Amino acid sequence: MNQFQYSRPAEIASAIKLLAKDSNGHFLAGGTNLVDLMKMGVVVTNKLVDINHLPLKQIQKTPTGITIGALATNSEVADSAIVKENFPLLSLAINAGASPQLRNMATTGGNLMQRTRCPYFFDITAPCNKRVPGSGCSALQGYNRMHAIFGANDQCIAVNPSDMNVALTALDATVHVSGVKGERKIKFADFHRLPGDHPELDNTLQKGELITAVDIPASPFNKNVYYLKIRDRTSYAFALVSAAAALHIENNTIKGVRLAMGGVAHKPWRLTAAETFLTGKPVNEDNFKQAAQIAMQGAKAYEYNKFKLKLAPNAVIQALKMASGIAS
Amino acid sequence: MSSKKQCSQPGESTGNSTETRRDFIKKSSFLTAIALTPVTIVKSAEKQWDEKFADIFEKVPLTLEVNGVKHSLSVEPRTTLLDLLREEFALTGTKKGCDRGQCGACTVHVNGVRINSCLSLAITNSGKKVTTIEGLANGDDLHPMQEAFIKHDGFQCGYCTSGQIMSATALVKEGHTHSEAEIKEFMSGNICRCGAYPNIVKAIQEVKGGQPS
């Protein structure tokens, strides 16, 4: 790992100021992704601002829902009584990711910032537009089994690896950020981005902005929820495909529904067209199958990930069946 | 600029008096590093790094407690907790497997919570209490989890064992031991290539409800 300058501010304003003029500095929270990337030489930083002493660990109810501090660890969020009672989908998704040790270190803000697990991104000898813009995409003609089926282009077919993000996009979360120009809120669906012409950018944060909190609005999705993660081993592996389903059911009718997929795109993939189709319809497998078919419109596979074109809709159907209780 | 040198001495807090090959390599590498570092930037750091950055070669003060022993020293910010434990404190029970948070061999407890020490920069643990495998036994009396691993043959080559045991003791404390499936899920961050998993589960089942670390 290269050497770097280190700072440990106690206040948010100091942290922002420390990186304000630096284009190559990084904030350090749990370090589970950043320290790994630094060891691999994927990230070479000249300054680290250790934000672990900032007062950003709260998990609290608010008049409109809950607020989760950027430094609340994944374990603290998943185990929180407030989260389990109001947003069990978030607990399920977090516990499907990583290992207990990593969840004890990884933070909410850090999870939003984690980089792709595309092996070519990690291999500093391979061309990768995300790591070195303009160098090319090795995955396009390479071993692209783990890669995107939605929203990709020839510049980048990497996927966002997070489970937590899939639940947060389904739950319509809002990201609070703070920077030299002040504070602003970003809708979760607008936080991560598709590769477009800038695959090096994972999200819409401005340079030097710091995530301070994630808010989740109150919703009726506290009972019929499920997070299905399909991976190469039973636990502790990244998703080939994952599906988050949250249903608000009254008298066997779907009053409201949230659906999202992970492991399929450069960002957590919300299935709004399928949600619209299901709203107002009765709970049954046929409707779930039709919703999954709608969700797959526009999907495009590459040489080694064609299996995802079958796996993804089946994951959506199964997540809906589990969430609604018609399968167990 | 002053050229004061202030460095921690390897193994000083552990009471090791015999020179081992490991110590020799460690010291000679250390001296080589010092020789290659410009004198003017090897200096002590007594400031709080709040409003400014430590210089790039500057060591940063760190105070932490390891297995009940308090340490005050200076470290390079890039030093991981794993390397600090092994190379500075000679606590080599904590193993370096993948060094990337994928195998769990480096699992230790920080303030009672299990983490991967390979992905934790030592400096971020300032003021915290660290427990390693060396800190589990009470003198000659092994921790119940250590006893159970021996009884149930919970290892073969032994390389992952200290990480497995540190994870297992934390698991019991967390209460994720209600079923075999739950134990397996919450032990999934510790890889055992010998495949001792069934015996590890048996050891944990024996200890659950017993004495956490």
Side-chain angles (χ1 to χ4, degrees):
Chain A
M1 194 190 304
N2 69 295
Q3 289 169 307
F4 50 82
Q5 291 185 273
Y6 173 83
S7 179
R8 187 167 55 203
E11 289 171 19
I12 296 166
S14 311
I16 290 162
K17 202 173 148 195
L18 282 162
L19 280 194
K21 289 177 189 165
D22 203 285
S23 60
N24 194 29
H26 285 77
F27 294 119
L28 174 74
T32 54
N33 191 209
L34 181 56
V35 173
D36 186 18
L37 291 167
M38 288 168 68
K39 286 185 180 187
M40 300 296 286
V42 177
V43 169
V44 179
T45 190
N46 59 352
K47 286 179 181 172
L48 267 196
V49 175
D50 175 357
I51 59 168
N52 287 295
H53 291 241
L54 304 184
L56 296 172
K57 282 187 82 75
Q58 80 284 355
I59 302 171
Q60 283 165 0
K61 274 194 170 175
T62 64
T64 55
I66 65 166
T67 182
I68 300 169
L71 290 174
T73 65
N74 288 180
S75 297
E76 285 163 353
V77 176
D79 294 343
S80 154
I82 297 173
V83 172
K84 283 197 283 194
E85 186 190 332
N86 298 282
F87 307 102
L89 180 65
L90 181 58
S91 285
L92 289 173
I94 290 174
N95 279 333
S99 70
Q101 292 98 309
L102 291 169
R103 295 195 293 267
N104 284 339
M105 304 168 76
T107 63
T108 303
N111 198 318
L112 265 62
M113 296 298 292
Q114 70 175 304
R115 309 302 308 272
T116 183
R117 292 283 161 172
C118 173
Y120 301 105
F121 173 71
F122 271 85
D123 177 0
I124 59 169
T125 66
C128 169
N129 287 324
K130 186 175 280 301
R131 184 167 25 76
V132 183
S135 62
C137 174
S138 300
L140 202 56
Q141 305 298 329
Y143 189 50
N144 44 36
R145 182 169 175 269
M146 297 293 288
H147 293 73
I149 52 171
F150 290 110
N153 61 25
D154 284 358
Q155 295 201 39
C156 182
I157 60 171
V159 299
N160 184 297
S162 170
D163 294 295
M164 188 187 86
N165 289 345
V166 181
L168 286 177
T169 197
L171 293 168
D172 265 345
T174 302
V175 185
H176 289 248
V177 305
S178 192
V180 280
K181 291 177 187 166
E183 297 177 6
R184 67 186 181 111
K185 296 178 199 174
I186 307 169
K187 281 186 194 169
F188 205 87
D190 298 331
F191 183 83
H192 296 97
R193 55 187 297 287
L194 290 175
D197 289 332
H198 289 283
E200 74 278 13
L201 300 175
D202 294 346
N203 56 58
T204 55
L205 277 183
Q206 299 295 309
K207 208 80 202 171
E209 277 184 327
L210 175 71
I211 299 168
T212 54
V214 174
D215 286 2
I216 309 175
S219 71
F221 303 110
N222 60 355
K223 190 175 163 220
N224 290 106
V225 300
Y226 199 74
Y227 187 75
L228 177 67
K229 183 174 181 182
I230 297 166
R231 43 194 156 172
D232 285 329
R233 56 183 179 196
T234 318
S235 180
Y236 199 21
F238 289 98
L240 295 166
V241 166
S242 68
L247 293 158
H248 176 211
I249 301 169
E250 274 181 20
N251 301 323
N252 206 43
T253 299
I254 300 166
K255 305 286 280 185
V257 55
R258 301 284 177 77
L259 284 172
M261 275 196 271
V264 295
H266 196 261
K267 60 188 286 185
W269 198 245
R270 181 84 179 259
L271 313 178
T272 43
E275 290 175 9
T276 306
F277 168 81
L278 282 174
T279 305
K281 295 215 165 44
V283 172
N284 64 50
E285 189 166 350
D286 189 50
N287 281 331
F288 294 163
K289 282 180 177 170
Q290 287 190 59
Q293 205 174 6
I294 290 166
M296 292 305 292
Q297 284 171 8
K300 181 195 170 190
Y302 298 86
E303 186 174 359
Y304 294 101
N305 69 351
K306 292 190 175 73
F307 69 95
K308 288 193 181 186
L309 297 178
K310 278 189 180 174
L311 189 63
N314 284 339
V316 171
I317 295 164
Q318 183 65 12
L320 282 164
K321 286 168 73 176
M322 296 294 286
S324 62
I326 65 173
S328 58
Chain B
M1 196 179 275
S2 88
S3 60
K4 209 166 39 164
K5 292 182 187 178
Q6 192 179 84
C7 308
S8 56
Q9 289 303 307
E12 66 182 354
S13 323
T14 57
N16 283 357
S17 54
T18 47
E19 184 95 348
T20 63
R21 182 173 168 272
R22 191 188 301 277
D23 290 333
F24 174 76
I25 293 168
K26 193 158 53 187
K27 281 179 186 165
S28 46
S29 319
F30 176 72
L31 290 171
T32 308
I34 287 291
L36 292 173
T37 307
V39 173
T40 49
I41 50 178
V42 183
K43 61 175 187 175
S44 67
E46 299 297 336
K47 303 147 212 156
Q48 288 298 312
W49 305 110
D50 194 338
E51 303 289 340
K52 68 179 283 293
F53 283 101
D55 282 339
I56 202 147
F57 281 90
E58 205 162 3
K59 290 194 169 191
V60 181
L62 166 65
T63 304
L64 80 172
E65 193 177 310
V66 181
N67 299 333
V69 180
K70 285 187 176 145
H71 299 268
S72 285
L73 69 164
S74 298
V75 295
E76 259 195 72
R78 64 177 171 170
T79 309
T80 62
L81 179 59
L82 173 63
D83 285 341
L84 182 79
L85 291 169
R86 291 179 53 85
E87 305 300 326
E88 292 288 329
F89 299 154
L91 293 170
T92 50
T94 305
K95 299 302 180 199
K96 182 181 279 197
C98 67
D99 206 24
R100 295 189 57 199
Q102 296 181 358
C103 75
C106 69
T107 303
V108 300
H109 301 173
V110 172
N111 286 354
V113 171
R114 55 174 157 158
I115 65 150
N116 296 117
S117 61
C118 72
L119 290 183
S120 180
L121 295 181
I123 192 65
T124 63
N125 294 286
S126 193
K128 294 182 177 171
K129 291 182 179 179
V130 180
T131 306
T132 70
I133 188 74
E134 290 91 343
L136 276 193
N138 183 11
D140 288 338
D141 296 329
L142 292 180
H143 185 281
M145 192 63 78
Q146 291 172 308
E147 295 276 13
F149 265 65
I150 294 167
K151 179 178 168 188
H152 292 282
D153 208 9
F155 50 87
Q156 199 176 114
C157 84
Y159 198 81
C160 73
T161 310
S162 46
Q164 298 280 2
I165 290 175
M166 296 311 288
S167 235
T169 54
L171 173 83
V172 171
K173 197 170 153 189
E174 292 159 11
H176 292 301
T177 53
H178 297 100
S179 64
E180 187 178 328
E182 191 181 21
I183 292 171
K184 284 181 176 173
E185 171 62 35
F186 281 85
M187 284 299 288
S188 67
N190 292 80
I191 309 292
C192 169
R193 290 294 76 146
C194 299
Y197 298 115
N199 297 355
I200 291 170
V201 171
K202 279 183 203 158
I204 293 168
Q205 282 174 324
E206 174 160 321
V207 177
K208 72 177 182 183
Q211 300 292 312
S213 69

